[in-house]
Amino acid sequence: MQGMLAIIQSQDADAAMERLEALDLPGLSRIASMGGFLRQGNTALWIAMQPEQVNRVMEVLRATCHRRTSYMPTYMEAPQLAMFPLEVEVGGATLFICDVERYEVF
Ligand code: 2BA
């Protein structure tokens, strides 16, 4: 079994979940999370899947998770730059894929 941690933007989470649920995966959890850089809310999906399902999961995430421009207020670190928020391009999706050694559900 494979595990995937997918960090995505919360605006994309409903569409991604709807299509992932249709894949009948062994495990699918949606977790509210926060990025360490922007300190804005995002969504972490923890996905358990069979190796042959990985490509289908990737297709769904590519189709539903989009890159967007976000702005980081700079006044916390540098008050003199308060008029110039830092432009940041946020993915899409950040994926960590690993082998699952053991999987249990109670
Ligand atoms: P954040 O940490 O809030 O980062 C949001 C976006 O800010 C990042 O988008 C990237 O474009 C930019 N960014 C992050 N750290 C930066 C830095 N030190 N200097 C300049 N710009 C920086 P993404 O790379 O698409 O990441 C989106 C979210 O995915 C991140 O939100 C974080 O929650 C997660 N993430 C990304 N890479 C990760 C990693 N290596 N480990 C754990 N989580 C990660």
Side-chain angles (χ1 to χ4, degrees):
M1 186 179 290
Q2 302 271 285
M4 179 191 287
L5 177 67
I7 302 168
I8 65 172
Q9 295 185 48
S10 297
Q11 299 100 298
D12 297 324
D14 284 344
M17 283 294 288
E18 190 178 322
R19 290 187 52 182
L20 289 170
E21 279 164 358
L23 298 182
D24 198 22
L25 300 162
L28 178 61
S29 300
R30 175 178 178 164
I31 303 162
S33 52
M34 186 176 76
F37 187 67
L38 292 178
R39 294 178 210 140
Q40 290 174 2
N42 54 27
T43 295
L45 303 179
W46 181 241
I47 301 166
M49 60 208 159
Q50 302 301 344
E52 61 273 15
Q53 294 177 305
V54 174
N55 287 343
R56 193 71 196 98
V57 168
M58 296 284 291
E59 280 173 23
V60 167
L61 293 176
R62 281 187 202 285
T64 54
C65 301
H66 309 290
R67 298 192 74 81
R68 294 185 183 86
T69 299
S70 188
Y71 295 91
M72 179 186 179
T74 51
Y75 56 84
M76 301 277 276
E77 288 77 11
Q80 71 276 17
L81 297 176
M83 299 293 289
F84 305 101
L86 181 67
E87 188 176 295
V88 174
E89 198 188 12
V90 185
T94 300
L95 308 179
F96 300 85
I97 302 171
C98 54
D99 294 329
V100 176
E101 205 168 285
R102 184 168 162 171
Y103 177 68
E104 292 184 22
V105 179
F106 293 93

